[in-house]
Every structure is written in C-alpha cells, then in structure tokens.
C-alpha cells in the first residue's frame, strides 16, 4: 500500500512539474491565499483600516505571484526587469478590464458577482497565455 501511494505521489508530482497550466493555477491560488491572509492579518490582528490593508495585501500578492510564476511556473530566463514591466502593464490592463466587465454586468441588470466570476475566468485565461508567450517567454540561448 505504501509503495502504491509513493508511486501515485510521484506520478502526480511529475504531471505538475511538466504542466505550466497546473503550476500557473497553483501559484494563482497561493497568491490569493497570500492576499487574503495578509489582509486579515493587517486588518483583524493589527487593526489597519481596510482602505490601507487591502491595496498593501494585493500588491504583496502581486509580488509573490510574479516571483513564483517567473521562477517556478515558467522558469523564465529573460531579463527580469523587462518581464516585470510587461507584468505591471498586464496588471493595469486587468484592473481596467475587470472594472469594465463587473460594472457592465451590473448595468445590464446581471449580478456584479456573476460579472466578477466571468471577469476572473476571462482574465485567468488570457493571463496564462500572455505569461507563457509574452511575459515569461523562453528566449533561445
């Protein structure tokens, strides 16, 4: 039984290691957890106002996300400052796109929550593709 569990764990580890998509989603989930944990820690434990704690936690999760997507998910070897500038441009674009989508759903009489879910699926999809082919693209040599 122990041998089977080890074999299964090894297969799962191999799949995760070879799959950019799985690693991308795992890092994204971990980034969300960092965002939420820091927000709760700052607000609930240290009493920091939400309007201050929220952007601090979000920016920290963006830094965490960039570092892990670059090193773990895509193992990028291109210049990090170029990747960072592209990443920040995508972050700004995503913020605007999410705002437009959420408010558009609300204006059409559809729940903003559904709009947020739709925007999350949409941005996650294009983020994966853009991370892979633009931000963390493997360059020859």
């Amino acid at each position: 039984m122990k041998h089977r569990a080890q074999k299964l764990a090894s297969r799962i580890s191999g799949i995760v290691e070879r799959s950019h998509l799985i690693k991308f989603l795992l890092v994204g989930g971990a980034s969300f957890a960092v965002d939420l944990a820091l927000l709760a820690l700052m607000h609930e434990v240290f009493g920091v106002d939400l309007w201050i704690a929220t952007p601090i936690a979000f920016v920290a999760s963006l830094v965490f996300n960039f570092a892990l997507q670059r090193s773990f998910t895509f193992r990028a070897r291109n210049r990090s400052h170029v990747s960072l500038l592209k990443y920040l441009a995508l972050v700004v674009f995503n913020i605007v796109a999410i705002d437009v989508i959420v408010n558009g759903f609300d204006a059409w009489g559809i729940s903003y929550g559904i709009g947020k879910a739709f925007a999350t699926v949409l941005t996650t999809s294009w983020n994966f593709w853009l991370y892979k082919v633009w931000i963390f693209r493997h360059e020859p040599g």
Side-chain angles (χ1 to χ4, degrees):
M1 185 71 167
K2 185 178 179 181
H3 178 69
R4 283 185 179 173
Q6 287 175 332
K7 193 173 180 179
L8 177 62
S10 177
R11 286 183 84 192
I12 291 170
S13 176
I15 290 168
V16 169
E17 183 58 33
R18 290 185 303 275
S19 174
H20 286 137
L21 179 60
I22 291 172
K23 290 192 281 186
F24 172 79
L25 294 172
L26 287 172
V27 170
S31 298
F32 174 77
V34 165
D35 188 358
L36 186 60
L38 284 175
L39 176 60
L41 180 69
M42 286 187 291
H43 184 64
E44 297 295 328
V45 176
F46 295 109
V48 178
D49 287 336
L50 277 176
W51 67 274
I52 295 171
T54 301
I56 291 171
F58 180 69
V59 168
S61 75
L62 288 177
V63 171
F64 175 84
N65 184 276
F66 174 81
L68 282 184
Q69 296 294 9
R70 180 174 172 74
S71 63
F72 171 70
T73 304
F74 297 102
R75 299 186 194 275
R77 306 249 188 282
N78 57 350
R79 297 179 300 175
S80 60
H81 69 282
V82 173
S83 292
L84 181 59
L85 290 174
K86 291 176 179 179
Y87 180 82
L88 293 174
L90 182 59
V91 166
V92 170
F93 179 82
N94 284 340
I95 289 169
V96 172
I98 291 167
D99 193 36
V100 167
I101 292 167
V102 169
N103 283 285
F105 270 67
D106 187 56
W108 297 327
I110 303 170
S111 167
Y112 68 86
I114 293 172
K116 177 64 173 173
F118 178 79
T120 299
V121 169
L122 193 61
T123 58
T124 298
S125 300
W126 72 51
N127 283 349
F128 174 71
W129 184 74
L130 288 169
Y131 282 16
K132 189 169 184 165
V133 302
W134 184 52
I135 296 174
F136 302 120
R137 180 183 77 222
H138 282 284
E139 295 177 355

